[in-house]
Amino acid sequence: MNVSRIALAGGVAASTVLILAGTASAHVSVQPEGEAAKGGYAVINFKVPNERDDAATTKLEVNFPTDHPLASVMPQPVPGWNIKVTTSKLAKPLDMHGKKINEAVSKVTWTADGGKIEPGRFQQFPLSIGQLPEDADQLVFKAIQTYDNKEVVRWIEEQKDGAEEPESPAPVLKLTAAADEAHGAAATDSDDKNAAADQSKDEKTTASASSSSSDTTARVLGIVGIVIGVAGVAFGVLAGRRRTA
């Protein structure tokens, strides 16, 4: 009986550890819908899970990178949440579509207005952003999550190369190759395929020509053989008649 109780207690403890570990691993993240190509525009979603069992998330602040400012940021309405977009003046103006942009978005804040993220739930906050930088492989957004019990969690730690994931990692948006580069690669592949197809066609044409030439030669030799055979028969007949005479 004691052994069974000990085993049961151990199992419950292990399950509790696994549950807590799973909860601790959840964090605010950002993902694009489709791809976020360099130099282009993208729709991205900030995914916010609730990590607490006794509190609800009521606010999210997302700070935008200052080293690669984004001039165009448009939030999609989220029912039950108010959205505030904060802009700041740029030390160096941006050039977008031939126009000088002196301000860029520095922060977007979602505040619960009737809605909230309950324990065991998550919420996505969509944004349309651009123009994405051409000289970067990723963008780091530092986020601050606030609960209705006044607890604040700062997702602001940047991942270092070769190091383990930090305890409170900042959301990172990975950028893909620019559309022109992708099209160039596709064009190269297409050219290679076309060249291979042309080579195959030439080989088939050469083989066909060679086969046709061989057939013609065989036919000529066959006709010559028939002529020689007929001539031989005729010669034999004439020779037999002379002997008889």
Side-chain angles (χ1 to χ4, degrees), residues 6-31:
I6 293 173
L8 178 61
V12 171
S15 300
T16 303
V17 170
L18 289 175
I19 292 173
L20 292 176
T23 303
S25 64
H27 53 75
V28 176
S29 60
V30 60
Q31 291 294 334

Side-chain angles (χ1 to χ4, degrees), residues 27-36 42-47 124-127 129 141 171-174:
H27 53 75
V28 176
S29 60
V30 60
Q31 291 294 334
E33 292 184 7
E35 292 186 346
V43 174
I44 62 175
N45 286 292
F46 286 93
K47 182 179 179 181
Q124 294 198 108
F125 298 94
L127 290 174
I129 64 172
F141 299 88
V172 176
L173 176 66
K174 299 292 185 179

Side-chain angles (χ1 to χ4, degrees), residues 193-207:
K193 290 179 180 178
N194 289 337
D198 291 342
Q199 182 178 356
S200 177
K201 186 184 295 184
D202 291 342
E203 290 175 353
K204 289 180 179 179
T205 301
T206 302

Side-chain angles (χ1 to χ4, degrees), residues 29-206:
S29 60
V30 60
Q31 291 294 334
E33 292 184 7
E35 292 186 346
K38 298 178 182 178
Y41 291 77
V43 174
I44 62 175
N45 286 292
F46 286 93
K47 182 179 179 181
V48 183
N50 193 328
E51 295 186 307
R52 302 294 178 262
D53 296 329
D54 56 353
T57 297
T58 56
K59 187 177 181 180
L60 174 69
E61 299 173 66
V62 175
N63 294 280
F64 282 64
T66 56
D67 53 345
H68 295 289
L70 301 173
S72 176
V73 176
M74 293 185 292
Q76 179 178 319
V78 179
W81 295 79
N82 289 328
I83 306 171
K84 181 182 178 181
V85 179
T86 304
T87 60
S88 301
K89 285 191 174 182
L90 298 172
K92 182 180 179 181
L94 295 175
D95 187 2
M96 288 186 63
H97 309 297
K99 295 182 179 180
K100 294 293 182 180
I101 306 297
N102 296 312
E103 291 185 339
V105 173
S106 56
K107 181 170 66 174
V108 177
T109 305
W110 290 266
T111 305
D113 182 20
K116 54 186 177 181
I117 308 174
E118 300 285 358
R121 304 291 180 87
F122 75 91
Q123 176 68 53
Q124 294 198 108
F125 298 94
L127 290 174
S128 173
I129 64 172
Q131 187 173 358
L132 298 174
E134 298 179 353
D135 58 348
D137 295 324
Q138 64 181 29
L139 293 177
V140 179
F141 299 88
K142 296 184 178 182
I144 300 175
Q145 182 178 10
T146 303
Y147 291 87
D148 58 6
N149 62 358
K150 308 303 180 183
E151 181 185 2
V152 176
V153 180
R154 302 178 184 276
W155 304 99
I156 61 174
E157 299 180 63
E158 296 188 33
Q159 177 72 50
K160 296 182 179 180
D161 294 338
E164 294 183 359
E165 184 181 61
E167 184 177 351
S168 301
V172 176
L173 176 66
K174 299 292 185 179
L175 304 182
T176 58
D180 291 343
E181 295 179 13
H183 291 162
T188 300
D189 292 342
S190 178
D191 291 342
D192 291 342
K193 290 179 180 178
N194 289 337
D198 291 342
Q199 182 178 356
S200 177
K201 186 184 295 184
D202 291 342
E203 290 175 353
K204 289 180 179 179
T205 301
T206 302

